[in-house]
Amino acid sequence: MAGPNENDNGYSAPPAEGGQADENASVRFQEPAQDAAEQAAFTAPPAAEPGVPAEVLDAKEEIAAAIQQSVQDQPGPMSAEDLEGAGNVQGVSIGLGDADAGGEPGAPVLTVYVAESATPETVRETVADAMGVRAAGDLPMRVVTSGVIDALANRARVRPAPGGFSVAHFRVTAGTIGCLATGRSSPRNQRLMCLSNNHVIANSNSAQYGDCICQPGPYDGGTCPNDQIAILERFVPIRYGGPTNYVDCATGWCWPDRVRRELGYQTSGGINLFRISSSIAYPAVGQIVGKTGRTTQLRSGRITATNWSGRVNYGTPGWAFFANQVAIEGNFSAGGDSGSSIWTWNAYRNPVGLLFAGGGGVTIANPMPWVASALDINLVT
């Protein structure tokens, strides 16, 4: 027979059922133990860019540094005037050239992401003159109009809840359950956890261990404790105003009977369920990938960069700078899809990313190996 905090499937339940229904409600959960840290730190390993000419790599890093400095100089909301000149440049990566970029087809080229449409010549002048990256003036360049990159819905209440459906901290609107996970060491290896973004289930650093996570999210009608599936367990803090970020991720400690390993999406005949692999892989340029999320459900897209660096708009908390992220192009995501797992669009379905931002047909994701390392988890899929 299971113990008081264990289920028959072997996973331990959160310390006490209940949650915060409003700002004045008392917290009925146990305080975290000394080894159950509320926050986790993460620093990414150096990026490897084999086959990329040194001048292209140097120009990318110089542009990224200029964007990071602009976030530090102006971390708050931007006006229309702020998006002029250098402010129009939102991110940079090294991708593959096309007919419009110049250079050899398929060769590594500098890819610049802008908020408002501009000609390659104008962007080249902006990068060289306003941002001071003179070396970029003669390099092949691809320009992508992404709009402002915002930190970004299957909306129904489902029990047990699959990945891909609406979820959120009780003070957040709605995001997506990515998948399930467990910790890599005791006692967290006995906790069945849901994976999503910090800004979805940890309220952009403002939540506390034990806070209620509901499915669906409050924007979709979810309330605490009636729709609670988990408590906040761990998150990596987002650093606003200039410091480098690598992941936007968090875990919620679930009641095992309220969640399931499968991912799902809605059809006219009901909910279709499927499994992805628990074997994490590194993303690669050119990969066709898939995701199922709260807003746009099941979609596929193509990875165009694994080294996107740029600014991400978190609204009231401000802007944050992220380095060496995954960029996916195509009609892949929309607001509310944040937290979705991204996996290879083939029979293996290996997880390669965690969706957290996007705009203008460009989706930005954390590399999944970094997410798993930062939160010290293994996926349960």
Side-chain angles (χ1 to χ4, degrees), residues 206-227:
S206 297
Q208 297 182 350
Y209 175 93
D211 275 0
C212 175
I213 297 168
C214 59
Q215 194 289 312
Y219 189 84
D220 298 321
T223 62
C224 287
N226 294 335
D227 300 303

Side-chain angles (χ1 to χ4, degrees), residues 1 13 23 43 64 122 130 133 202 245 260 266 282 285 336 340 348 372:
M1 175 177 289
E23 198 163 320
T43 300
T122 300
V133 187
N245 292 275
R260 64 189 309 155
Q266 295 271 14
Y282 275 94
V285 172
S340 302
Y348 300 105

Side-chain angles (χ1 to χ4, degrees), residues 289-339:
V289 292
K291 75 97 189 59
T292 180
R294 173 234 178 228
T295 306
T296 61
Q297 300 209 64
L298 187 65
R299 296 279 177 88
S300 64
R302 185 172 73 92
I303 294 178
T304 55
T306 56
N307 47 36
W308 183 94
S309 297
R311 58 168 67 237
V312 176
N313 177 24
Y314 279 89
T316 301
W319 293 83
F321 178 82
F322 280 79
N324 296 323
Q325 302 296 293
V326 183
I328 299 160
E329 294 183 32
N331 187 17
F332 191 68
S333 70
D337 287 334
S338 287

Side-chain angles (χ1 to χ4, degrees), residues 66-80:
I67 297 171
Q68 185 171 18
Q69 184 62 51
S70 71
V71 174
Q72 182 175 337
D73 293 342
Q74 186 175 358
M78 297 176 70
S79 65

Side-chain angles (χ1 to χ4, degrees), residues 178-265:
C179 61
L180 300 185
T182 61
R184 291 175 173 172
S185 59
S186 179
R188 298 178 72 238
N189 60 354
Q190 293 300 308
R191 300 173 183 175
L192 189 62
M193 298 180 283
C194 59
L195 172 65
S196 192
N197 295 140
N198 173 329
H199 79 265
V200 172
I201 64 172
N203 195 19
S204 300
N205 299 348
S206 297
Q208 297 182 350
Y209 175 93
D211 275 0
C212 175
I213 297 168
C214 59
Q215 194 289 312
Y219 189 84
D220 298 321
T223 62
C224 287
N226 294 335
D227 300 303
Q228 183 172 21
I229 62 166
I231 62 171
L232 178 63
E233 196 262 356
R234 180 171 290 191
F235 65 89
V236 178
I238 301 165
R239 299 190 293 174
Y240 302 102
T244 301
N245 292 275
Y246 299 101
V247 290
D248 175 349
C249 58
T251 49
W253 184 358
C254 300
W255 280 269
D257 60 344
R258 302 180 193 181
V259 293
R260 64 189 309 155
R261 295 185 180 198
E262 291 86 358
L263 277 59
Y265 60 96

